[in-house]
Amino acid sequence: TRAAYAQDVRSYAGWRGLAQADAVRELLALEAPDANALVLQYRGEMLEAKLAPATVMRRLSGLRSLVNLARLVGLVSWRLEVP
């Protein structure tokens, strides 16, 4: 599962056109509305690209796990609420 989540973050970083660490920093620096809007855009573009729904859900799950960990250690106070 850790390997899958790492791949999910790499995929997100690739979509953002950033190094993985920079994409994570960028996401975690946002406030909840902006972070959720950005991830909604990512979700929409994955669906437009005709990725399998299971792939989209897994990639979003990886991002939610990342944000949940950041919340647990006090880096953010919000959660991703993208379905």
Side-chain angles (χ1 to χ4, degrees), residues 4-17 20 42 46 55 58-59 63:
Y5 285 166
Q7 178 56 46
D8 297 337
V9 174
R10 279 193 296 275
S11 294
Y12 171 76
W15 174 75
R16 294 296 298 146
Q20 189 172 337
Y42 178 50
M46 287 190 288
T55 299
R58 195 203 71 236
R59 288 183 180 179
L63 291 178

Side-chain angles (χ1 to χ4, degrees), residues 19 36-37 82-83:
N36 279 290
V82 176

Side-chain angles (χ1 to χ4, degrees), residues 30-42:
L30 296 172
E31 294 297 323
D34 294 329
N36 279 290
L38 181 62
V39 175
L40 273 172
Q41 181 183 355
Y42 178 50

Side-chain angles (χ1 to χ4, degrees), residues 5 9 24 27-28 61-71:
Y5 285 166
V9 174
V24 168
L27 180 63
L28 297 181
S61 178
L63 291 178
R64 279 191 291 271
S65 292
L66 170 73
V67 171
N68 286 343
L69 178 60
R71 188 172 187 271

Side-chain angles (χ1 to χ4, degrees), residues 66-78:
L66 170 73
V67 171
N68 286 343
L69 178 60
R71 188 172 187 271
L72 181 69
V73 298
L75 296 176
V76 298
S77 60
W78 48 269

